[in-house]
Amino acid sequence: DRKDIIVFDGTKTNMEYIKIMKNDSMKKISEVFELFCSIYDRKWYGLENCSEEEYREAFELFKDCLRKI
């Protein structure tokens, strides 16, 4: 939102943002963000424990999203 790539709306879900990004010129970011969100959703909403390896994987995906912005 700070770089005016997308407009933040607290009522939107991650999947809604992914859909917006896929429709715009942000396909590369949307693919990485979708992978990151799938890990997050499984751990948070699925009430699964997160291993150190899974944490590192998610953190690398997050950093990859930031690099693509």
Side-chain angles (χ1 to χ4, degrees):
D1 194 30
R2 283 184 254 168
K3 292 189 177 189
D4 293 327
I5 295 171
I6 57 172
V7 176
F8 176 74
D9 178 347
T11 64
K12 286 190 184 341
T13 66
N14 288 336
M15 297 317 280
E16 289 173 309
Y17 280 116
I18 290 166
K19 185 177 178 181
I20 290 168
M21 288 188 276
K22 284 182 178 180
N23 290 334
D24 288 340
S25 61
M26 298 178 278
K27 181 126 178 98
K28 289 181 182 180
I29 296 171
S30 72
E31 292 168 352
V32 177
F33 186 64
E34 189 168 10
L35 287 171
F36 173 79
C37 289
S38 70
I39 294 170
Y40 176 84
D41 288 346
R42 276 195 327 273
K43 299 306 171 184
W44 185 262
Y45 299 109
L47 302 175
E48 294 181 10
N49 291 326
C50 186
S51 70
E52 190 172 328
E53 181 180 330
E54 290 168 319
Y55 174 83
R56 278 197 292 267
E57 177 187 358
F59 189 59
E60 288 304 316
L61 288 169
F62 174 74
K63 291 191 299 186
D64 195 24
C65 282
L66 293 179
R67 284 190 292 271
K68 291 181 186 308
I69 293 176

